[in-house]
Each structure stands twice: as C-alpha cells, then as structure tokens.
Amino acid sequence: SGGAVMNDLWSFDGAAWTMLNADGDPNAPPARARAGVTWDLGRNSLVVFGGNDAAGGVLGDVWEWDPGTNTWTDVTPTVGPMPSARRFTALSWDPATSSVLMFGGLDATGTHLDDTWIFAGGSTWGQMVTTNITWLRAPTSATCCCSVARTRPWPAARSGASTPGVGTAPIGPRS
C-alpha cells in the first residue's frame, strides 16, 4: 500500500491469502506499523503490542485476536505495572511460563530499551529481572520461542547483515 499504515489482517494457508479483517475495520486495533506480534499458544490468540500509529506516535496498547470468533479485544491493563510505549519490540510465546514475553524496542525518543516483561493470562504485565546478559542493540529485533535445559533464549536483535545475538537467562526452579 505504498508505505501506508494499515490495520488489516490476513491468513495464509500455504497456497492462498484470505482477508480476515479489512483495513479500516472499526473493531480492529488502530492502524500501526513496527508493532510486536506473537501467537499465544495458551490462549490461542494473536497478541499485538505497541508500534507506531499513522502519525508516527508510539503506542503502548495490547490487543488480542481470537481466530474462533474473528474478533479483536483491547486487553491493555488499566492498573498495575505496564511496559512503556514502544516500537520494534520483540514478543515471543514462552511455553515454560505459558505467557508472552516482551523484550526491548525503541521508545518515542529513539532510546533503546533493555527491559523484559511477561504478559500473563492476557491481562497483567510483570517486569522480569535479568542479570549477566549482554544484549546486541539494533533498530529491529526478532525472537526465538523455546526453552532449552534450564536457560531460556532471549530475543536477538539484528541489523542489516550482522549476525543475531542471543542472550540466555537462568530459569528458576519449576514447581
């Protein structure tokens, strides 16, 4: 669409694209670019956080799309801790915690953020404490979404042809 910020949603079945929500759908999240997106396997929903709106403003809202009803719900918490508005954030489903993890991004001033958050149950955020992790900062980021042994791979930032960098953080005892 020539660089326009849109809010349409499409599905690909391996052979053809199907429009699920048209651009401008009033029941969908506001149009955005550079948002964090992941599939929440526990809730069977698509999760979208932040990004830039059509005017370039940085967003901090959270939306879930339910494939069973083809509906969007604004699940932005109204109380409790919450990550700051950001773009280029990395989201990933974490099977070890049955939650969505979010790392980093850029705030409205272009400052690189090094914080890690967990979105539990589709309604509350909690900031995670990570130590002894060296982050590779870049304007864009990608994630991995698996747990190995007792360490968890964390989002890897990538810029141009550089090699992605991955940090690991210890996982506490599982109950």
Side-chain angles (χ1 to χ4, degrees):
S1 70
V5 176
M6 302 175 76
N7 72 338
D8 51 346
L9 180 65
W10 293 76
S11 173
F12 185 68
D13 65 8
W17 286 96
T18 303
M19 182 183 288
L20 302 173
N21 297 122
D23 184 40
D25 183 338
N27 299 312
R32 67 192 62 220
R34 302 172 189 94
V37 180
T38 195
W39 190 263
D40 183 330
L41 289 171
R43 297 172 54 81
N44 191 38
S45 63
L46 184 71
V47 179
V48 176
F49 178 88
N52 286 105
D53 63 18
V58 180
L59 302 168
D61 54 350
V62 189
W63 288 79
E64 284 186 343
W65 175 74
D66 180 338
T69 60
N70 191 27
T71 57
W72 285 98
T73 304
D74 183 348
V75 294
T76 307
T78 56
V79 296
M82 176 126 174
S84 60
R86 62 193 67 204
R87 58 188 185 256
F88 294 119
T89 192
L91 292 183
S92 182
W93 165 253
D94 179 31
T97 61
S98 297
S99 300
V100 171
L101 298 177
M102 181 177 75
F103 170 74
L106 295 175
D107 68 11
T109 66
T111 300
H112 288 268
L113 302 169
D114 286 340
D115 51 348
T116 303
W117 292 80
I118 186 167
F119 190 55
S123 62
T124 59
W125 284 102
Q127 188 166 11
M128 298 181 71
V129 177
T130 54
T131 59
N132 300 321
I133 299 175
T134 302
W135 303 107
L136 172 64
R137 292 181 177 173
T140 59
S141 57
T143 61
C144 49
C145 60
C146 55
S147 294
V148 178
R150 298 196 56 81
T151 61
R152 178 179 299 122
W154 290 97
R158 187 173 112 80
S159 177
S162 66
T163 303
V166 177
T168 58
I171 298 173
R174 295 186 184 169
S175 17

